[in-house]
Each structure stands twice: as C-alpha cells, then as structure tokens.
Amino acid sequence: MNSVKTYTLFTDDDVYLFKEGKHYKLYDKFGAHSVEKDGVSGVYFSVWAPNAKKVSVIGNFNNWSHKEHILYPRWDGSGIWEGFIADLKWGTLYKYAIETAYGDLLEKSDPYALSWEQNLQAASLISTTWYEWKDQEWMDSRWKKNRLEAPISVYEMQLGSWVREEDHPDKFLNYRDIAKKLVPYIIEMGFTHVEFMPVMEFPYDPSWGYQITGFYAATSRFGSPQDLMFLIDELHKNDIGVILDWVPSHFPGDANGLHRFDGSFLYEHEDPRKGFHPDWKSYIFNYGRNEVKSFLISNAMFWLERYHADGLRVDAVTSMLHLDYSRNEGEWEPNQYGGNVNLEAKIFLQEFNTAVYKEFGNAIITIAEESSDFPMLTKPVHDGGVGFGMKWMMGWMHDTLDYFKLDPILRNNNHHKITFASMYMYNENYMMPLSHDEVVHGKASLIYKMPGDEWQKFANLRALYVYMYTHPGAKLLFMGDEFGQTAEWNFKQSLDWHLLQYPVHKGLQILVKDLNHAYRSESALYENQFIPKGFEWVEADDKDNSVFVYLRKGKRKDDVCMVVLNLTPRILEYTIGVNEGTHWEVIFNSDDEIYSGSGVDPIIIREEKGDWMNRPQSITLKLPPLAGLILKQKKDKKYKLHRIKLHKK
C-alpha cells in the first residue's frame, strides 16, 4: 500500500512559468517542505524527473525501501512528481529512488535539498532555512556600499583553510566560530566585503567547492544553514558585505547528483561537445532547456534572498560563453552564425542578470570571472550587453604579475605591461583580482613571485599593492596575501598565521590595512573608478627609470591624489609636472619603516615654475626604492593635510 497522499504546492501558473524558464522562486515549490494535510503534520516532496517510470522517497524512516512511498506524477506533462508523507520531521534522511525508462533504479539526492549529509551516502536532510535575521539596518542601506561609486575592497577566502584551531589542525571550525574570528579581523583590516569560495554542498575537497552537488544546500562541513546565516548576519551587523562564489557552469558526475538524473540527459546537454567539460571532467548545464534555466536562476535568487548575500561572483563564465573553450578543432560545433559563442549560455546569463537586478536592484552585485575579451559583459542587457555589474580584470592581473616577477633591470623593456591596462580599463566595470588561482599549482605565492632578496621581495609586493589600490576599479585580495603567506595555498590546512611574528610579514599586513583605509577615506581613489575622468597619466613613458606617475580624481575639482611608483631599487630625485597653483604633500609611503621599509623620507625637495611634462609647474620629489607613494593635492600652501594614520601595533 502506498503511504503517500496527494498534495501540491504548484499552481497552474507555477507550472507554466517553470516550463517557460521564467519561474525564479522554484525553491518555494520543489524539494521537501513541512506542511499540514487534513490536520496532520508531515512533509511535501516534489521533484522534476520527466523521463522516469516511477519515483519514490526512500530514507531512514522506511529502511530505504523504494516500494513504500511512491510519488504521483502530475497530470499536466510537466514531469513533476509529488506527494505528502505524514509524521516526517526535520533531520530525516531521504533520497529519491528513480526507476528509469530502461528499468534501472537510481538513488538520487534532492536537487533542492537545504542540507546534505557529509559522507559517501550524501543523503538529503529534511531541513529549513528559517532564521531570525538581525541585519535589517544593513539590508536597508547596503546599496550605498555596493554601488559603483563606493569603495569596494574584497577579501577572498575559503572557509575550510582560513584558520583552524591550533590543537585540532585537521578539524574545521563551525561557521559560528569562524564569525568570532573573521568579523573583528575584517574590521581591523578595513576590507569592505568578504567573498566566500563556494559554500554550496560539494563532495570532493580538492575541488575547493567548485564541483557542486547540493546547489541549494549550505555545506555541512561547517555547520547548519542557520550557522552560515549567523556568520553572514554578524558580518552585516558590522557593515561588511558578503559575496558568494556561484557555479552555474558545470556539475560533477557523482551518482547521487544531477548527472543523468532520471536516466536521461536532463540537466546537462546531451551532445558532449556542449555537455562535457574536458578539463574538469564535469558536465555542462543545458542552457537551452527552459526548466534548467528556471533551476539555475532560482538558485541565484535563493542565495540572495534566503542567505542575504550581497553579490554573486559567477565562476568560469569564459567556459560558458565559448563553444570552443578548451577544445581542439573538430571537437566543437559552431553556432548558427558560424561563430564560437554559446548563444544559449549568453541568453541565460542575460536573463539571470535581468532577473536578479529586477528583484534586488542595485542593492546587490553580480561579477563575472571571465578571462577573454568577450564584449559588453557589464553593459545593460537592453543595450545588448550581458548585464553583469562587474568583471574580473584578468588581463591586468596577468600583466601586472608578469611585470613584477621581472628583475628590476629588465623592467624597462616591459614598461607597457603596466601602462597597457589604461587602454581598456573603462571598456567594462572592472574588479582587480589577486585571487586564489594565482597562488596554487606551482605558480608560487605572491611574495615568492617577487624577485630579489627578502627585502626586495617585500618591497616589490608593497609597491604592487599601492599600484593595485590606486588603480581604477574595485579590489580583491586572496586570504594570506595580506601578510605575505610564503607557501602556496593548501586547502587542507590553515594559513600560516605564525608568520606575523616576523616584522616583514607584520609590516606587509599593516600596509594592506592602511591601504584599505586610504582607499575608503580618499574619495579621489573610488568616486570615479569606472569612468575616464577619474584617471590621468602624468608620466607613462619613463621606461629607463621604471617610474610611473598618474592622478586619481574625485568628483570635486580639487579632490585629487597623485600616485608615484618607483619600481627600481634606486633612490631617485625625480621631477614631476604639476598644474598651476597646486601644492602637494605625501600621505602614504610604502617604504615607511612601519611597513619594514628602508625608511627613506619622500620629501618634496623643491617646487618650481616652468613647463615640465606638459604642465606649467613642477615638484622634485625624493623617491624611495621599490616604493609607491600617494600624494594629496592641498587647497593652498597654508593648508596642512593630515597624513593617513599609521597603525603602530
């Protein structure tokens, strides 16, 4: 006898929108939901399996038997199976037993489950995302922190390897324990946002979370959904935004996951030229199938709504948009126009961006991790763009690291690697990433990418950070890079926090802290960071001295900062052209002793009238070696500017 009762949460409109690819709140319908039927408490189950012969719910409540709790197929041809089971409670383990058209019996975890087991069985748990949020003040005003005219400095991190208990280095901290350590650290360091590498459930630790099976489940490695919500809540209560990595590009072939979910290619594209990823040995979503689009866009909405995320950084966008990504000739099929653009993926991304910005407005950010020159990624959809809020500036990252890796005596022939970014930096709204991908797989940590002895390595990295924080665009720095982690990132262990006992590492950390505060306090460094009037070269061509000079400008005419980079180990007396009637003072020096620099005082030796660098006046400045300086334009000679506060801890 079937113990399942008929029940539904779906209206005709729900089914219509689902089939049209326009239902963006599927998590309110699919999955396991606590309900009452005829005065009896229980759980309503629903799952999409259009090619199944039979679907039943199995779990620890029925000894995993597929014969007792058989769901009912809807009459409307939607492929939805559903039903009510009495007396089930939160924490019950379950899966779907799916009999395929070929007679095979598959055991699949629930694609919409809110929690998963953390073991080989990886069963779903009847769970809830109920939580009493306390971040309303943040939610009401967060648009001010997430808009393009705001300073956005992101600390990218992986929760399992940021820090662990010294006495239990192999054990993960709970989300709540992480909150106790992370919130005060981000406050002190001055970052405006944190970005979590994927927190969605994943089975394989070496994937770092990018091979997701439970798209709607917070990974149970670190606790419950409510524990993750507590972490986000605490960050919000302290004016810190939260960006989540989101992976709509592919999924693994685990037996209990989405692959061949009902015995057919349901979520993935059937053609392996579009449906299989050769690099990651994973499966690519079928962006042309409306129900899959509804699944994915609903997933984005879920994390933004239920978990109060302030943004989504979309992973592997390049692989989504290019049919020939990581494929040789003959291994991919051109689109209908003969090109290599995956038109279905582009339309999906446009619909995703349109949907989330319509729902949340400019209170949230979407960010594309995209490494090609695909056009108009951050332009509005109604103008033919893809609609992202920002794009990672991968070209800047690669050129900058290639330059700084060079011995200073070789930099003169690679001067363009620093200046080239100004040719395209306003083509998109860019975020400047020094991300986790650059400190793994034999690429070396950032500090060990730098040339020279210990002093030169740290001086180079300090100068690089000055360049990054004063360049137009939002900022992103991976955990550990703020204090000069020497080893490559290892997901199996904590960062090497003990390095902070050494002055060079502590000095670098203080420098990043001060740069964050400088970026946030000097409006010239962020107000116009995405429009051309916010930047001007003063000296871009002095390759013989490897010196760069540029201005950053705020909205007020007199709100101007000058940045000077001396990327050689020599002390220089350097003359710089300035505008008539302007006076300057150094407010930041990466060679300051507090940062373990050499302590050369970057004094202005003289100010003179007379044309220099196509400007009517000049100042001659003492430039410390391998250093970056920030100067502030004073209103008049009598105006005494306060230097950026140095943290002498």
Side-chain angles (χ1 to χ4, degrees):
M1 179 179 175
N2 188 11
S3 301
V4 177
K5 306 298 183 183
T6 57
Y7 193 92
T8 188
L9 289 178
F10 284 89
T11 66
D12 290 344
D13 284 344
D14 288 327
V15 173
Y16 172 78
L17 291 171
F18 173 51
K19 294 169 71 173
E20 289 294 306
K22 300 296 184 182
H23 200 308
Y24 302 148
K25 299 285 185 75
L26 289 178
Y27 46 92
D28 289 334
K29 307 295 178 176
F30 280 117
H33 297 270
S34 295
V35 297
E36 280 192 8
K37 179 178 171 60
D38 300 329
V40 178
S41 297
V43 173
Y44 163 75
F45 294 91
S46 58
V47 62
W48 180 52
N51 300 298
K53 288 174 61 178
K54 186 175 72 172
V55 178
S56 58
V57 182
I58 61 175
N60 59 359
F61 63 94
N62 66 5
N63 294 316
W64 304 94
S65 170
H66 66 276
K67 297 179 180 180
E68 296 182 30
H69 295 86
I70 303 169
L71 298 178
Y72 297 98
R74 285 184 62 90
W75 54 269
D76 50 21
S78 61
I80 298 170
W81 298 71
E82 59 186 354
F84 170 85
I85 303 176
D87 300 325
L88 297 186
K89 294 180 172 57
W90 293 345
T92 300
L93 298 175
Y94 73 100
K95 282 187 175 184
Y96 295 118
I98 299 175
E99 184 179 337
T100 73
Y102 303 102
D104 298 323
L105 189 65
L106 308 176
E107 293 187 0
K108 294 287 188 178
S109 296
D110 188 349
Y112 291 86
L114 303 177
S115 297
W116 285 43
E117 274 189 309
Q118 191 57 234
N119 54 30
L120 290 176
Q121 169 78 7
S124 304
L125 281 79
I126 298 172
S127 187
T128 178
T129 53
W130 182 88
Y131 179 78
E132 191 172 341
W133 290 90
K134 300 178 180 66
D135 64 347
Q136 193 59 49
E137 184 176 349
W138 166 267
M139 297 296 284
D140 289 342
S141 62
R142 63 177 175 168
W143 64 271
K144 298 176 184 178
K145 306 294 179 65
N146 294 331
R147 58 182 176 167
L148 296 180
E149 297 82 7
I152 297 177
S153 178
V154 181
Y155 187 64
E156 183 193 30
M157 59 182 297
Q158 202 251 4
L159 290 171
S161 55
W162 180 64
V163 68
R164 299 186 183 184
E165 292 289 354
E166 291 183 10
D167 296 337
H168 303 282
D170 297 327
K171 184 179 179 182
F172 295 126
L173 291 180
N174 181 276
Y175 292 114
R176 292 174 183 265
D177 295 325
I178 293 170
K180 295 175 185 177
K181 296 176 180 292
L182 180 62
V183 171
Y185 186 72
I186 297 299
I187 292 172
E188 180 184 3
M189 290 301 297
F191 290 98
T192 64
H193 294 69
V194 296
E195 179 179 320
F196 295 142
M197 292 167 67
V199 296
M200 302 81 187
E201 194 60 85
F202 61 100
Y204 187 52
D205 283 339
S207 78
W208 310 336
Y210 291 99
Q211 297 266 3
I212 294 172
T213 47
F215 280 80
Y216 288 81
T219 177
S220 56
R221 285 169 176 78
F222 315 116
S224 68
Q226 289 69 30
D227 292 335
L228 174 56
M229 291 172 180
F230 175 85
L231 169 58
I232 295 172
D233 207 15
E234 290 299 301
L235 288 162
H236 282 172
K237 285 157 57 179
N238 288 279
D239 287 333
I240 301 163
V242 178
I243 299 168
L244 301 181
D245 275 8
W246 185 54
V247 190
S249 48
H250 65 122
F251 57 87
D254 289 54
N256 62 345
L258 296 180
H259 178 48
R260 301 294 299 269
F261 186 77
D262 62 359
S264 69
F265 295 97
L266 191 61
Y267 287 90
E268 65 270 51
H269 205 290
E270 184 173 3
D271 186 341
R273 293 174 296 182
K274 293 183 179 180
F276 182 72
H277 201 297
D279 282 352
W280 304 323
K281 304 296 185 283
S282 56
Y283 295 88
I284 301 169
F285 284 102
N286 184 347
Y287 305 109
R289 179 166 288 158
N290 286 339
E291 294 90 343
V292 172
K293 287 197 293 185
S294 284
F295 170 82
L296 288 172
I297 297 175
S298 291
N299 189 240
M301 290 285 192
F302 173 81
W303 292 100
L304 294 169
E305 179 190 312
R306 295 283 181 90
Y307 282 85
H308 288 199
D310 303 295
L312 298 174
R313 176 265 198 187
V314 184
D315 184 61
V317 171
T318 308
S319 74
M320 296 172 65
L321 288 171
H322 295 86
L323 293 165
D324 59 346
Y325 183 86
S326 194
R327 299 180 193 275
N328 299 318
E329 189 173 348
E331 295 178 347
W332 61 282
E333 183 180 40
N335 62 32
Q336 64 192 77
Y337 304 110
N340 70 338
V341 175
N342 187 329
L343 299 175
E344 294 173 342
K346 179 182 176 183
I347 291 169
F348 159 71
L349 289 170
Q350 289 174 318
E351 292 182 2
F352 149 71
N353 280 306
T354 299
V356 298
Y357 278 111
K358 181 180 179 180
E359 181 75 14
F360 298 99
N362 62 359
I364 58 97
I365 320 168
T366 64
I367 306 161
E369 190 254 332
E370 207 281 325
S371 57
S372 75
D373 57 356
F374 195 93
M376 301 181 68
L377 270 177
T378 61
K379 305 305 179 187
V381 172
H382 59 73
D383 290 335
V386 183
F388 281 100
M390 293 187 201
K391 170 187 172 175
W392 273 19
M393 199 175 188
M394 309 288 274
W396 170 87
M397 178 180 70
H398 293 138
D399 284 346
T400 298
L401 292 177
D402 285 347
Y403 179 89
F404 274 87
K405 288 175 186 176
L406 295 169
D407 188 291
I409 65 173
L410 302 175
R411 288 176 175 171
N412 57 346
N413 292 322
N414 291 269
H415 199 75
H416 66 283
K417 287 187 178 293
I418 296 296
T419 59
F420 181 63
S422 63
M423 302 294 290
Y424 65 89
M425 64 187 176
Y426 296 114
N427 290 354
E428 305 280 4
N429 301 327
Y430 283 113
M431 176 174 283
M432 310 171 65
L434 291 173
S435 71
H436 67 273
D437 278 327
E438 299 311 305
V439 294
V440 290
H441 300 324
K443 296 179 183 178
S445 62
L446 286 191
I447 191 63
Y448 278 176
K449 293 183 195 293
M450 302 296 108
D453 58 18
E454 181 184 74
W455 185 88
Q456 288 201 5
K457 286 183 187 299
F458 278 90
N460 270 297
L461 191 53
R462 292 194 299 268
L464 188 161
Y465 287 162
V466 173
Y467 171 49
M468 172 184 175
Y469 272 90
T470 58
H471 191 285
K475 326 298 176 191
L476 179 140
L477 191 64
F478 184 56
M479 63 180 196
D481 290 338
E482 77 274 19
F483 61 81
Q485 169 92 6
T486 52
E488 287 190 350
W489 170 53
N490 184 347
F491 70 91
K492 298 179 181 179
Q493 63 188 48
S494 168
L495 296 178
D496 293 329
W497 293 100
H498 65 275
L499 291 174
L500 287 169
Q501 66 184 299
Y502 302 107
V504 287
H505 292 277
K506 186 62 179 177
L508 183 64
Q509 185 192 48
I510 295 172
L511 175 122
V512 171
K513 182 192 326 182
D514 284 352
L515 282 173
N516 271 323
H517 289 290
Y519 174 52
R520 296 174 65 168
S521 63
E522 295 296 335
S523 53
L525 297 179
Y526 64 81
E527 279 186 343
N528 295 319
Q529 59 189 341
F530 297 110
I531 56 178
K533 69 178 183 180
F535 178 90
E536 180 184 351
W537 279 112
V538 177
E539 177 55 80
D541 300 318
D542 190 359
K543 66 178 184 178
D544 292 332
N545 288 305
S546 296
V547 169
F548 303 85
V549 185
Y550 51 87
L551 302 178
R552 293 300 315 281
K553 303 177 182 179
K555 292 181 178 179
R556 299 192 324 273
K557 186 177 180 180
D558 63 348
D559 186 16
V560 182
C561 287
M562 181 191 298
V563 181
V564 185
L565 304 174
N566 174 20
L567 301 182
T568 70
R570 297 175 296 156
I571 299 174
L572 300 176
E573 289 191 5
Y574 201 81
T575 303
I576 299 168
V578 297
N579 291 332
E580 186 174 6
T582 61
H583 305 283
W584 299 85
E585 184 173 15
V586 176
I587 61 170
F588 190 92
N589 170 21
S590 70
D591 190 52
D592 197 298
E593 289 181 348
I594 196 172
Y595 309 132
S596 285
S598 61
V600 172
D601 189 5
I603 59 172
I604 296 175
I605 298 170
R606 56 184 173 272
E607 302 182 38
E608 296 179 319
K609 292 188 178 296
D611 185 71
W612 192 259
M613 295 181 179
N614 297 314
R615 284 170 167 78
Q617 292 183 188
S618 66
I619 59 173
T620 299
L621 188 65
K622 188 175 185 180
L623 300 186
L626 290 174
L629 305 177
I630 304 175
L631 290 80
K632 177 77 173 181
Q633 180 177 301
K634 299 187 288 186
K635 293 180 180 178
D636 55 59
K637 263 196 168 181
K638 296 180 181 179
Y639 176 74
K640 181 64 177 176
L641 189 79
H642 292 290
R643 292 168 61 89
I644 291 171
K645 183 180 178 181
L646 301 179
H647 296 74
K648 297 187 178 181
K649 290 184 179 179

